[in-house]
Amino acid sequence: MEKFPNVRAVVLDRGLREKDPIVVRETTRLHPSQRFRLEADVFRFLASLKNLRHLSIRGMPNCVPSDCVEECYRSLSRLLSLDLGRNYIGPDYAAAMSFLTHLDELTALTVFDISNDDHEGLMPLTSLSKIQKLEL
């Protein structure tokens, strides 16, 4: 990433942008399929930010297909903090949480359990032994 080689933190929060009237006006003109959402290409781009250590994807629409979930989490392996909010990467909660356990450098994690009939609460994340700040 030539323009921002030292980027250490990225916040992707749709809620922040929805407060801007220009963004709201332009976004309403777009078909839902044209609006920004989390896809595998976004994670490949984030992986290109070699100094990225902090990522927030709270409130972002998620369109990562199940066959790309592992690659997306693997691209985040250098992160020290991750804020998922109520989001998780991919269509399958259990798979997403199992891949999350491989981010063993995390010292801060925010993930809000979106319990429903599909799963029985937040899965154990015992392999994340470096966690110092945990928001559930």
Side-chain angles (χ1 to χ4, degrees), residues 69-131:
V69 172
E70 183 177 8
E71 174 192 357
C72 291
Y73 276 105
R74 200 173 35 244
S75 72
L76 303 176
S77 64
R78 291 185 305 275
L79 289 181
L80 299 177
S81 71
L82 177 61
D83 180 352
L84 294 171
R86 294 190 183 281
N87 216 346
Y88 57 91
I89 301 167
D92 179 354
Y93 174 82
M97 291 299 108
S98 71
F99 290 123
L100 179 62
T101 63
H102 297 291
L103 300 181
D104 55 8
E105 293 299 315
L106 288 179
T107 58
L109 174 65
T110 300
V111 58
F112 300 128
D113 183 19
I114 55 169
S115 291
N116 57 35
D117 295 336
D118 296 338
H119 63 276
E120 298 180 15
L122 186 64
M123 297 179 75
L125 301 172
T126 55
S127 65
L128 301 180
S129 60
K130 294 181 182 179
I131 293 290

Coordinates of all heavy atoms in Angstrom, one line a residue, residues 69-131:
V69 N -13.8 -17.8 4.0 CA -13.7 -17.4 5.4 C -12.3 -17.6 6.0 O -11.7 -16.7 6.6 CB -14.8 -18.1 6.3 CG1 -14.6 -17.8 7.7 CG2 -16.2 -17.6 5.8
E70 N -11.8 -18.8 5.8 CA -10.5 -19.1 6.4 C -9.4 -18.2 5.9 O -8.6 -17.7 6.6 CB -10.1 -20.6 6.1 CG -8.8 -21.0 6.7 CD -8.4 -22.4 6.5 OE1 -9.1 -23.1 5.7 OE2 -7.4 -22.9 7.1
E71 N -9.4 -17.9 4.6 CA -8.5 -17.0 4.0 C -8.6 -15.6 4.6 O -7.6 -14.9 4.9 CB -8.7 -16.9 2.5 CG -7.9 -15.8 1.8 CD -8.3 -15.6 0.3 OE1 -9.2 -16.2 -0.2 OE2 -7.7 -14.7 -0.3
C72 N -9.8 -15.1 4.8 CA -10.0 -13.8 5.4 C -9.4 -13.7 6.8 O -8.7 -12.8 7.1 CB -11.5 -13.5 5.4 SG -12.2 -13.2 3.8
Y73 N -9.7 -14.7 7.6 CA -9.1 -14.7 9.0 C -7.6 -14.8 8.9 O -6.9 -14.2 9.7 CB -9.7 -15.8 9.9 CG -11.1 -15.4 10.5 CD1 -12.3 -15.9 10.0 CD2 -11.1 -14.5 11.6 CE1 -13.5 -15.5 10.6 CE2 -12.3 -14.1 12.1 CZ -13.5 -14.6 11.6 OH -14.6 -14.2 12.2
R74 N -7.1 -15.7 8.0 CA -5.7 -15.8 7.9 C -5.0 -14.5 7.5 O -3.9 -14.2 8.0 CB -5.3 -16.9 6.9 CG -4.0 -17.5 7.0 CD -3.7 -18.7 6.1 NE -4.3 -18.6 4.8 CZ -5.3 -19.5 4.4 NH1 -5.6 -20.5 5.2 NH2 -5.8 -19.4 3.2
S75 N -5.7 -13.7 6.7 CA -5.1 -12.4 6.3 C -5.1 -11.4 7.5 O -4.4 -10.4 7.4 CB -6.0 -11.8 5.2 OG -7.2 -11.3 5.6
L76 N -5.7 -11.7 8.6 CA -5.7 -10.8 9.8 C -4.8 -11.3 10.9 O -4.8 -10.8 12.0 CB -7.2 -10.7 10.3 CG -8.3 -10.3 9.4 CD1 -9.6 -10.4 10.0 CD2 -8.0 -8.9 8.8
S77 N -3.9 -12.2 10.5 CA -3.1 -12.9 11.6 C -2.2 -11.9 12.3 O -1.7 -12.3 13.4 CB -2.3 -14.0 10.9 OG -1.4 -13.4 10.0
R78 N -1.8 -10.8 11.8 CA -1.0 -9.8 12.5 C -1.7 -8.9 13.5 O -1.1 -8.1 14.1 CB -0.2 -9.0 11.5 CG 0.8 -9.8 10.7 CD 1.7 -8.9 9.8 NE 0.9 -8.1 8.9 CZ 0.5 -8.5 7.7 NH1 0.7 -9.7 7.3 NH2 -0.2 -7.7 6.9
L79 N -3.0 -9.0 13.5 CA -3.8 -8.1 14.3 C -3.5 -8.3 15.8 O -3.3 -9.4 16.3 CB -5.3 -8.2 14.1 CG -5.8 -7.8 12.8 CD1 -7.3 -8.0 12.7 CD2 -5.5 -6.3 12.5
L80 N -3.5 -7.1 16.5 CA -3.4 -7.2 18.0 C -4.8 -6.9 18.6 O -5.1 -7.3 19.7 CB -2.5 -6.1 18.5 CG -1.0 -6.3 18.0 CD1 -0.2 -5.1 18.6 CD2 -0.5 -7.6 18.5
S81 N -5.7 -6.2 17.8 CA -7.0 -5.9 18.3 C -8.0 -6.0 17.2 O -7.7 -5.6 16.1 CB -7.2 -4.6 19.0 OG -7.1 -3.5 18.1
L82 N -9.2 -6.6 17.5 CA -10.2 -6.8 16.5 C -11.6 -6.5 17.1 O -11.9 -7.0 18.2 CB -10.2 -8.3 16.0 CG -11.3 -8.7 15.0 CD1 -11.2 -7.8 13.7 CD2 -11.1 -10.2 14.7
D83 N -12.3 -5.6 16.5 CA -13.7 -5.3 16.9 C -14.6 -5.8 15.9 O -14.7 -5.2 14.8 CB -13.8 -3.8 17.1 CG -15.2 -3.3 17.6 OD1 -16.1 -4.2 17.6 OD2 -15.3 -2.2 17.9
L84 N -15.3 -6.9 16.2 CA -16.3 -7.4 15.3 C -17.7 -6.9 15.5 O -18.6 -7.0 14.7 CB -16.4 -9.0 15.4 CG -15.1 -9.7 14.9 CD1 -15.2 -11.2 15.3 CD2 -14.9 -9.5 13.4
G85 N -17.9 -6.3 16.7 CA -19.2 -5.9 17.1 C -20.2 -7.1 17.1 O -19.9 -8.2 17.6
R86 N -21.3 -6.9 16.4 CA -22.3 -8.0 16.2 C -22.0 -8.8 14.9 O -22.7 -9.7 14.5 CB -23.7 -7.5 16.2 CG -24.1 -7.0 17.5 CD -25.6 -6.7 17.5 NE -26.0 -6.1 18.7 CZ -26.2 -6.7 19.9 NH1 -26.0 -8.0 19.9 NH2 -26.6 -6.1 21.0
N87 N -20.9 -8.5 14.3 CA -20.5 -9.0 13.0 C -19.7 -10.3 13.2 O -19.1 -10.5 14.2 CB -19.7 -8.0 12.2 CG -20.0 -8.0 10.8 OD1 -20.6 -8.9 10.2 ND2 -19.5 -7.0 10.1
Y88 N -19.6 -11.1 12.2 CA -18.6 -12.2 12.2 C -18.4 -12.4 10.7 O -19.2 -12.1 9.9 CB -19.0 -13.4 12.9 CG -20.3 -14.1 12.5 CD1 -20.3 -15.0 11.6 CD2 -21.5 -13.7 13.2 CE1 -21.5 -15.6 11.2 CE2 -22.7 -14.3 12.8 CZ -22.7 -15.3 11.8 OH -23.8 -15.9 11.5
I89 N -17.2 -12.9 10.3 CA -16.9 -13.1 8.9 C -17.4 -14.4 8.4 O -17.0 -15.4 8.9 CB -15.3 -13.0 8.8 CG1 -14.9 -11.6 9.3 CG2 -14.9 -13.1 7.3 CD1 -13.4 -11.5 9.5
G90 N -18.2 -14.3 7.4 CA -18.7 -15.5 6.7 C -20.2 -15.8 7.1 O -20.7 -15.2 8.1
P91 N -20.8 -16.7 6.4 CA -22.2 -17.0 6.7 C -22.4 -18.0 7.8 O -23.5 -18.1 8.3 CB -22.7 -17.6 5.4 CG -21.5 -18.2 4.8 CD -20.3 -17.3 5.2
D92 N -21.4 -18.7 8.3 CA -21.5 -19.7 9.3 C -20.8 -19.3 10.6 O -19.6 -19.2 10.7 CB -20.9 -21.0 8.7 CG -20.9 -22.2 9.7 OD1 -21.4 -22.0 10.9 OD2 -20.5 -23.3 9.3
Y93 N -21.6 -19.0 11.6 CA -21.1 -18.6 12.9 C -20.1 -19.5 13.5 O -19.0 -19.1 13.9 CB -22.3 -18.4 13.9 CG -21.8 -18.0 15.3 CD1 -21.5 -16.7 15.6 CD2 -21.7 -19.0 16.3 CE1 -21.1 -16.4 16.9 CE2 -21.3 -18.7 17.6 CZ -21.0 -17.4 17.9 OH -20.6 -17.1 19.1
A94 N -20.4 -20.8 13.5 CA -19.4 -21.8 14.1 C -18.1 -21.8 13.4 O -17.0 -21.8 14.1 CB -20.0 -23.2 14.1
A95 N -18.1 -21.8 12.1 CA -16.8 -21.7 11.3 C -16.1 -20.4 11.6 O -14.9 -20.5 11.8 CB -17.1 -21.9 9.9
A96 N -16.8 -19.3 11.6 CA -16.2 -18.0 11.9 C -15.5 -18.0 13.2 O -14.3 -17.6 13.3 CB -17.2 -16.9 11.7
M97 N -16.2 -18.5 14.2 CA -15.6 -18.5 15.6 C -14.4 -19.4 15.7 O -13.4 -19.2 16.4 CB -16.6 -18.8 16.6 CG -17.7 -17.8 16.8 SD -17.1 -16.2 17.3 CE -17.2 -15.2 15.9
S98 N -14.5 -20.6 15.0 CA -13.3 -21.5 15.1 C -12.1 -20.9 14.4 O -11.0 -21.1 14.9 CB -13.7 -22.8 14.4 OG -13.8 -22.8 13.0
F99 N -12.3 -20.1 13.3 CA -11.1 -19.5 12.7 C -10.6 -18.3 13.5 O -9.4 -18.0 13.5 CB -11.5 -19.0 11.3 CG -11.7 -20.1 10.3 CD1 -12.8 -20.2 9.6 CD2 -10.6 -21.0 10.1 CE1 -13.0 -21.3 8.7 CE2 -10.8 -22.1 9.1 CZ -12.0 -22.2 8.4
L100 N -11.5 -17.7 14.2 CA -11.1 -16.6 15.1 C -10.1 -17.0 16.2 O -9.2 -16.3 16.5 CB -12.4 -16.0 15.8 CG -12.2 -14.8 16.8 CD1 -11.6 -13.6 16.0 CD2 -13.5 -14.5 17.4
T101 N -10.2 -18.2 16.6 CA -9.3 -18.8 17.6 C -7.9 -18.8 17.1 O -6.9 -19.0 17.9 CB -9.7 -20.1 18.1 OG1 -9.7 -21.1 17.0 CG2 -11.1 -20.1 18.7
H102 N -7.7 -18.8 15.8 CA -6.3 -18.8 15.2 C -5.6 -17.4 15.2 O -4.4 -17.3 14.9 CB -6.3 -19.4 13.8 CG -6.8 -20.8 13.7 ND1 -6.1 -21.8 14.2 CD2 -8.0 -21.3 13.3 CE1 -6.8 -22.9 14.1 NE2 -7.9 -22.6 13.5
L103 N -6.3 -16.4 15.6 CA -5.7 -15.1 15.7 C -5.1 -14.9 17.1 O -5.5 -14.1 17.9 CB -6.8 -14.0 15.5 CG -7.5 -14.0 14.1 CD1 -8.5 -12.9 14.0 CD2 -6.5 -14.0 13.0
D104 N -4.1 -15.7 17.3 CA -3.5 -15.9 18.6 C -2.6 -14.7 19.1 O -2.1 -14.7 20.2 CB -2.8 -17.2 18.8 CG -1.7 -17.4 17.7 OD1 -1.4 -16.5 17.0 OD2 -1.2 -18.5 17.7
E105 N -2.4 -13.7 18.3 CA -1.7 -12.5 18.7 C -2.6 -11.4 19.3 O -2.2 -10.4 19.8 CB -0.9 -11.9 17.5 CG 0.2 -12.8 17.0 CD 1.3 -13.1 18.1 OE1 1.7 -12.1 18.8 OE2 1.6 -14.2 18.3
L106 N -3.9 -11.7 19.2 CA -4.9 -10.7 19.7 C -4.7 -10.4 21.2 O -4.6 -11.3 22.0 CB -6.3 -11.1 19.5 CG -6.9 -11.1 18.1 CD1 -8.3 -11.6 18.1 CD2 -6.8 -9.7 17.5
T107 N -4.7 -9.1 21.6 CA -4.7 -8.7 23.0 C -6.0 -8.0 23.3 O -6.3 -7.8 24.5 CB -3.5 -7.7 23.3 OG1 -3.6 -6.6 22.4 CG2 -2.2 -8.4 23.0
A108 N -6.8 -7.6 22.3 CA -8.1 -7.0 22.5 C -9.1 -7.6 21.5 O -8.8 -7.6 20.3 CB -8.0 -5.5 22.4
L109 N -10.3 -7.9 22.0 CA -11.3 -8.5 21.1 C -12.7 -8.0 21.6 O -13.0 -8.1 22.8 CB -11.3 -10.0 21.2 CG -12.4 -10.8 20.4 CD1 -12.3 -10.5 18.9 CD2 -12.3 -12.3 20.7
T110 N -13.4 -7.5 20.6 CA -14.8 -7.2 20.9 C -15.7 -8.0 19.9 O -15.5 -7.9 18.7 CB -15.1 -5.7 20.6 OG1 -14.3 -4.9 21.4 CG2 -16.6 -5.3 20.8
V111 N -16.5 -8.8 20.5 CA -17.5 -9.6 19.7 C -18.7 -9.8 20.6 O -18.7 -10.2 21.7 CB -16.9 -11.0 19.3 CG1 -16.5 -11.8 20.5 CG2 -17.9 -11.7 18.4
F112 N -19.8 -9.3 20.0 CA -21.1 -9.4 20.7 C -21.8 -10.6 20.2 O -22.0 -10.8 19.0 CB -22.0 -8.2 20.5 CG -21.3 -6.9 21.0 CD1 -21.2 -5.8 20.2 CD2 -20.8 -6.9 22.3 CE1 -20.5 -4.7 20.7 CE2 -20.2 -5.7 22.8 CZ -20.0 -4.6 22.0
D113 N -22.2 -11.5 21.1 CA -22.9 -12.7 20.7 C -24.2 -12.4 20.1 O -25.0 -11.7 20.7 CB -23.1 -13.6 22.0 CG -23.7 -14.9 21.7 OD1 -23.7 -15.3 20.5 OD2 -24.2 -15.6 22.6
I114 N -24.5 -13.0 19.0 CA -25.8 -12.7 18.3 C -26.6 -14.0 18.4 O -27.1 -14.5 17.4 CB -25.5 -12.3 16.8 CG1 -24.7 -13.3 16.1 CG2 -24.9 -10.9 16.7 CD1 -24.6 -13.2 14.6
S115 N -26.7 -14.5 19.6 CA -27.4 -15.8 19.8 C -28.8 -15.8 19.2 O -29.5 -14.9 19.2 CB -27.6 -16.0 21.3 OG -26.4 -16.2 22.0
N116 N -29.0 -16.9 18.5 CA -30.3 -17.2 17.9 C -30.4 -18.7 17.9 O -29.6 -19.5 18.5 CB -30.4 -16.6 16.6 CG -29.3 -17.0 15.6 OD1 -28.9 -18.1 15.6 ND2 -28.9 -16.0 14.7
D117 N -31.3 -19.2 17.2 CA -31.6 -20.7 17.1 C -30.4 -21.4 16.4 O -30.4 -22.7 16.5 CB -32.9 -21.0 16.4 CG -34.1 -20.4 17.2 OD1 -33.9 -20.3 18.4 OD2 -35.1 -20.2 16.6
D118 N -29.6 -20.7 15.7 CA -28.5 -21.4 14.9 C -27.4 -21.9 15.7 O -26.6 -22.8 15.3 CB -28.0 -20.5 13.8 CG -29.0 -20.1 12.8 OD1 -30.0 -20.9 12.6 OD2 -28.9 -19.1 12.1
H119 N -27.2 -21.3 16.9 CA -26.1 -21.7 17.8 C -26.4 -21.5 19.2 O -27.4 -20.8 19.5 CB -24.7 -21.1 17.4 CG -24.8 -19.6 17.5 ND1 -25.3 -18.8 16.5 CD2 -24.4 -18.8 18.5 CE1 -25.2 -17.5 16.9 NE2 -24.6 -17.5 18.1
E120 N -25.6 -22.0 20.1 CA -25.9 -21.9 21.5 C -24.9 -20.9 22.2 O -24.2 -21.4 23.1 CB -25.9 -23.3 22.2 CG -26.9 -24.2 21.6 CD -26.9 -25.6 22.2 OE1 -26.3 -25.7 23.3 OE2 -27.5 -26.5 21.7
G121 N -24.9 -19.7 21.9 CA -24.0 -18.7 22.6 C -22.6 -18.7 22.0 O -22.3 -19.4 21.1
L122 N -21.8 -17.8 22.6 CA -20.5 -17.6 22.1 C -19.6 -18.9 22.4 O -19.7 -19.5 23.4 CB -19.9 -16.5 22.9 CG -18.5 -16.0 22.5 CD1 -18.5 -15.5 21.0 CD2 -18.0 -14.9 23.4
M123 N -18.9 -19.3 21.3 CA -18.0 -20.4 21.4 C -16.8 -20.1 22.3 O -16.4 -19.0 22.3 CB -17.6 -20.9 20.0 CG -18.7 -21.3 19.2 SD -18.1 -21.8 17.5 CE -17.4 -23.4 17.9
P124 N -16.3 -21.1 23.0 CA -15.1 -20.9 23.8 C -13.9 -20.4 22.9 O -13.7 -20.9 21.9 CB -14.8 -22.2 24.4 CG -16.0 -23.0 24.2 CD -16.7 -22.5 23.1
L125 N -13.2 -19.4 23.4 CA -12.0 -18.9 22.7 C -10.8 -19.1 23.5 O -10.0 -18.2 23.7 CB -12.3 -17.4 22.3 CG -13.5 -17.1 21.5 CD1 -13.7 -15.6 21.4 CD2 -13.4 -17.7 20.1
T126 N -10.6 -20.3 24.0 CA -9.5 -20.5 25.0 C -8.1 -20.4 24.4 O -7.2 -20.1 25.2 CB -9.7 -21.9 25.6 OG1 -9.7 -22.9 24.5 CG2 -10.9 -22.0 26.4
S127 N -7.9 -20.5 23.1 CA -6.6 -20.4 22.6 C -6.1 -18.9 22.5 O -5.0 -18.7 22.1 CB -6.5 -21.0 21.2 OG -7.4 -20.3 20.3
L128 N -7.0 -18.0 22.7 CA -6.6 -16.5 22.7 C -6.0 -16.1 24.1 O -6.6 -15.3 24.8 CB -7.8 -15.7 22.3 CG -8.4 -16.0 20.9 CD1 -9.6 -15.1 20.6 CD2 -7.4 -15.9 19.8
S129 N -4.9 -16.7 24.4 CA -4.3 -16.5 25.7 C -3.7 -15.1 26.0 O -3.4 -14.8 27.1 CB -3.3 -17.6 26.0 OG -2.2 -17.5 25.0
K130 N -3.5 -14.3 24.9 CA -2.9 -13.0 25.1 C -3.9 -11.9 25.3 O -3.5 -10.7 25.5 CB -2.0 -12.6 23.9 CG -0.8 -13.6 23.8 CD 0.0 -13.2 22.6 CE 1.2 -14.1 22.4 NZ 2.0 -13.8 21.3
I131 N -5.2 -12.2 25.3 CA -6.2 -11.3 25.5 C -6.1 -10.5 26.8 O -6.0 -11.1 27.8 CB -7.6 -11.9 25.4 CG1 -7.9 -12.4 24.0 CG2 -8.7 -10.9 25.8 CD1 -8.1 -11.4 22.9

